[in-house]
Amino acid sequence: MSPRHFLTLMDLSSDELKQVLTRASELKKMHREGTQYQPLKNRVLAMIFEKSSTRTRVSFEAGMAQFGGHAIFLSSRDSQLGRGEPIEDSARVISSMVDAVMIRTFEHSKIAAFAANSSVPVINALTDDFHPCQLLADMQTYQEHRGSIEGKKVVWVGDGNNMCHSYINAAELLNFNLVIACPVGYEPNQQLVDKYAHRVAVLNNAQDAVKNADLVVTDVFASMGQEDEQEKRLQDFHSFQVNKALMSLANQDALFMHCLPAHRGEEVTTDVIDHPDSVVWDEAENRLHAQKALLEFLLC
Ligand code: CP
Ligand code: NVA
């Protein structure tokens, strides 16, 4: 039987996603109370990183340790992956020795090829197209602060990137309305937008989009791998900064999120990210709890 993978949020049903989110908050409470819970004793997670990371690495590694298991860090720089060993061969070998594999890479097709040849669950820890683990944390965070997100208005401001695509998936699974505000030429994948058109609208004006928002989310202008576009993007995105004036158009109790790392003064101002309505620190911490819930779901 082929293993259960988590390559995009759509690998979970709506009910399964809700179950993982609720469990994430339970695991958080248990962790805070000091309850020892080790369902993954002697189990091993391989973590393959072809891009940089702080939150993702620390949360998966800490999560595995807290669950009584172990995590192995592999980078393309010092494994045979970086020397051209085929993905398919790497998948067969690595998955024969561990219980799950987490991958952060560039093309989504790479993680799909790995998963197709893996005998254990594969978790997407960010590709150029999706970042589903971050969405688990974001949705857990919204739920903890404001209750159910169903029927709410979520506004994505900025690049139609991997995070934005995962927000589109979340809108479908959790029934919220997503308005995406991005500069012309930086829209999300059109096929994805068309597929979930009943949940998603794309505008090219941030002010119009943010009106009556319950949650405003942004991300860096240039993602990993786009560093050489930074200067052009700074110009193209100049009217897509989340600042106090923009937030004042949202609902009074609107939350602000950012997956981090953030560039203060570029996509978000300091007074917004460091304001009490910003839940970025909870969002970052929840990576730990949400991914523990995911690991438990996939492996127990
Ligand atoms: N948000 C996020 O994935 O952070 P890292 O790049 O630090 O893992
Ligand atoms: N969109 C960003 C997210 C970083 C967590 C990137 O891909 O670099």
Side-chain angles (χ1 to χ4, degrees):
M1 205 178 77
S2 68
R4 190 84 195 252
H5 301 301
F6 183 65
L7 304 190
T8 76
L9 275 185
M10 305 319 278
D11 286 326
L12 299 181
S13 69
S14 180
D15 283 346
E16 285 169 342
L17 174 57
K18 288 176 192 161
Q19 181 192 323
V20 167
L21 297 178
T22 303
R23 183 64 178 153
S25 296
E26 280 169 16
L27 290 170
K28 180 176 183 174
K29 186 165 176 282
M30 283 161 64
H31 183 65
R32 293 209 165 150
E33 287 166 351
T35 309
Q36 209 187 53
Y37 175 58
Q38 302 198 314
L40 297 185
K41 251 199 163 116
N42 300 322
R43 312 284 286 277
V44 179
L45 172 74
M47 307 188 299
I48 300 172
F49 282 95
E50 298 200 310
K51 291 180 179 177
S52 304
S53 167
T54 296
R55 279 144 289 270
T56 304
R57 178 178 177 181
V58 174
S59 54
F60 270 111
E61 199 163 331
M64 281 304 290
Q66 289 162 15
F67 267 179
H70 185 75
I72 302 174
F73 174 81
L74 289 157
S75 85
S76 41
R77 262 191 308 279
D78 43 34
S79 68
Q80 300 291 3
L81 277 161
R83 296 183 61 248
E85 182 166 11
I87 292 275
E88 293 77 5
D89 295 1
S90 305
R92 284 185 70 162
V93 172
I94 295 170
S95 69
S96 72
M97 299 182 196
V98 302
D99 299 281
V101 182
M102 180 238 84
I103 306 181
R104 168 168 286 195
T105 188
F106 292 85
E107 300 87 353
H108 194 78
S109 56
K110 265 178 138 177
I111 199 170
F114 194 105
N117 291 277
S118 170
S119 55
V120 300
V122 174
I123 298 169
N124 180 356
L126 185 147
T127 61
D128 289 346
D129 292 338
F130 295 100
H131 194 6
C133 288
Q134 183 68 53
L135 259 289
L136 296 181
D138 286 24
M139 295 299 100
Q140 179 193 347
T141 306
Y142 188 89
Q143 196 168 287
E144 287 178 348
H145 281 269
R146 295 283 186 268
S148 171
I149 200 164
E150 186 164 344
K152 301 288 183 186
K153 178 177 176 181
V154 177
V155 178
W156 174 267
V157 181
D159 193 15
N161 63 10
N162 44 10
M163 277 294 299
C164 178
H165 292 157
S166 286
Y167 261 91
I168 295 175
N169 286 343
E172 171 66 10
L173 290 173
L174 298 177
N175 289 321
F176 60 80
N177 300 309
L178 178 66
V179 178
I180 297 163
C182 51
V184 174
Y186 295 95
E187 290 86 357
N189 178 292
Q190 192 58 47
Q191 277 182 338
L192 205 57
V193 172
D194 291 345
K195 189 167 179 189
Y196 302 118
H198 52 287
R199 285 275 156 234
V200 182
V202 181
L203 306 181
N204 296 118
N205 179 296
Q207 281 72 27
D208 291 346
V210 162
K211 276 179 200 131
N212 305 318
D214 297 297
L215 169 63
V216 177
V217 196
T218 193
D219 189 7
V220 289
F221 294 154
S223 286
M224 289 181 277
Q226 298 172 333
E227 288 78 6
D228 54 351
E229 296 174 29
Q230 174 70 17
E231 283 313 309
K232 177 170 168 33
R233 282 172 176 258
L234 267 178
Q235 289 167 21
D236 292 349
F237 283 81
H238 77 273
S239 51
F240 291 83
Q241 181 188 64
V242 181
N243 51 35
K244 246 177 139 174
L246 192 69
M247 283 304 286
S248 73
L249 302 173
N251 283 340
Q252 193 119 45
D253 65 346
L255 295 176
F256 171 77
M257 290 192 196
H258 188 312
C259 64
L260 304 179
H263 295 173
R264 285 173 172 76
E266 290 184 17
E267 75 275 6
V268 61
T269 51
T270 302
D271 52 8
V272 168
I273 198 168
D274 296 329
H275 188 273
D277 290 335
S278 162
V279 288
V280 296
W281 311 120
D282 292 340
E283 195 187 348
E285 180 194 328
N286 282 339
R287 292 292 302 277
L288 170 69
H289 311 297
Q291 286 156 201
K292 283 169 74 178
L294 177 71
L295 287 165
E296 186 189 50
F297 175 82
L298 292 175
L299 296 178
C300 294

